[in-house]
Amino acid sequence: MDLTTNESTPTSRELILLSARREIDQNGILGLRVASVAEGAHCSITQIYRFFGDRDGLLAQVLGDLYEESVTAAFVGYRQIIEAKQPLTIDDLVDALPLPSNSMLMKNQAIRSQILAAAVNNQKLHTRLEQITQRMWHMWVEAVEHTKPMMAPGQNVDWRVFTIMLSVQSLHYRTFLGDVGFTDDEYRQFLRDKFRLS
Amino acid sequence: MDLTTNESTPTSRELILLSARREIDQNGILGLRVASVAEGAHCSITQIYRFFGDRDGLLAQVLGDLYEESVTAAFVGYRQIIEAKQPLTIDDLVDALPLPSNSMLMKNQAIRSQILAAAVNNQKLHTRLEQITQRMWHMWVEAVEHTKPMMAPGQNVDWRVFTIMLSVQSLHYRTFLGDVGFTDDEYRQFLRDKFRLS
């Protein structure tokens, strides 16, 4: 990006969103203060409200963006691994999924829990999450249709593992299980067995 | 409970916890203000800090209690349905699980997301959730051992559906899928198929 041209200079709106991101990185999602965002963007609170209506509107934009990035990254990551290999086996599908020991994944799951929580009393954010989740659902359904002809002969897959099991899975709970919970290997073996259509 | 005897009069500590519960019921989990809790309990903020150390300590107690009630209720509900019937089939196991259309369940899932989110930056609450989740895990493992001999002949169950799939399931995500997501019947059929050991 060339920052010397006028076209690529961030607008006020973009500066506000960048400032909100920085605030979230530093102080977490739940306590986001509009005054701090304004300070970081060198603008007034009034200006933030002009763009986003109110604090809920700002959060709907910023947290909605974060949520979209998180679910999109999961989808793109999966697609990239799958596309690189043909024909596909069930083991390949399992290998394309992140494991509980992955610290980036777990950080991401914690962020998602916070976004879900913020949406409980923020109708604008709730609506945005609905739109994103439903669009992502359609993308997974399309990806499944795209992947079906790529499977090796005899690999009969239960695709509902994506659309019913993984779509409502929160590995954030795994954090609290510590050494008590299932291992990466047990998780992989379980997925392998559940993908296999009996 | 007999409120006329001295033994059953709530202590200051209990009054604080009751006030915090009322605050949460009225204003949600995330914005809980210690000053409001003090006002509702007719005590000083200093007194709250004497019992719970700080705001994090108060939240660790109140939200930890809520989390414990939520996961315990799920466990007890399951056990009661299972105990009432013998010998058990896989259909009985599935029938003992709540469905996405259950509004009480979904409200509970939203509360859990908020508790998980609050624990991200509250180490005391995080530690408490670890203790509760791990204790609950052991109870489920025991319940599985208890249920095994109760199964009808030929009903070969994949018990990992409890310990790997359902233990990290958040049906809160289902809320955002609206009409797009799986139905109760599809969910039940999926569970039936995944419980069946191939």
Side-chain angles (χ1 to χ4, degrees), chain A residues 112 114 117 120 126 130 133-134 137 158 160 163-164 168-170 173 176-177 180 182 190 193-194 198, chain B residues 112 114 117 120 126 130 133-134 137 158 160 163-164 168-170 173 176-177 180 182 190 193-194:
Chain A
R112 282 204 204 173
Q114 292 177 86
V120 172
H126 188 96
E130 275 181 347
T133 310
Q134 293 179 16
W137 170 278
D158 186 346
R160 295 173 302 172
T163 54
I164 298 185
V168 294
Q169 178 181 270
S170 169
Y173 283 111
F176 302 105
L177 283 170
V180 170
F182 50 87
F190 179 72
D193 294 345
K194 298 298 106 173
S198 53
Chain B
R112 282 204 205 174
Q114 292 178 87
V120 173
H126 188 97
E130 276 182 345
T133 310
Q134 294 180 15
W137 170 276
D158 186 346
R160 294 174 302 173
T163 54
I164 299 185
V168 295
Q169 178 181 270
S170 170
Y173 282 111
F176 302 105
L177 283 169
V180 170
F182 49 87
F190 179 71
D193 293 345
K194 296 299 107 173

Side-chain angles (χ1 to χ4, degrees), chain B residues 13-80:
Chain B
R13 190 175 183 280
E14 284 162 356
L15 285 173
I16 293 166
L17 292 175
L18 282 170
S19 169
R21 284 290 186 113
R22 271 197 309 271
E23 275 298 306
I24 286 172
D25 280 345
Q26 281 165 24
N27 305 316
I29 283 176
L30 300 179
L32 189 77
R33 290 177 60 244
V34 178
S36 307
V37 174
E39 206 179 319
H42 306 291
C43 74
S44 66
I45 292 181
T46 313
Q47 211 169 353
I48 292 183
Y49 289 158
R50 200 179 304 140
F51 283 118
F52 301 101
D54 51 17
R55 182 176 183 272
D56 275 3
L58 175 63
L59 282 174
Q61 186 65 48
V62 179
L63 300 186
D65 290 351
L66 265 179
Y67 183 74
E68 188 159 32
E69 283 166 30
S70 171
V71 295
T72 306
F75 179 78
V76 169
Y78 183 79
R79 281 292 297 264
Q80 278 173 346

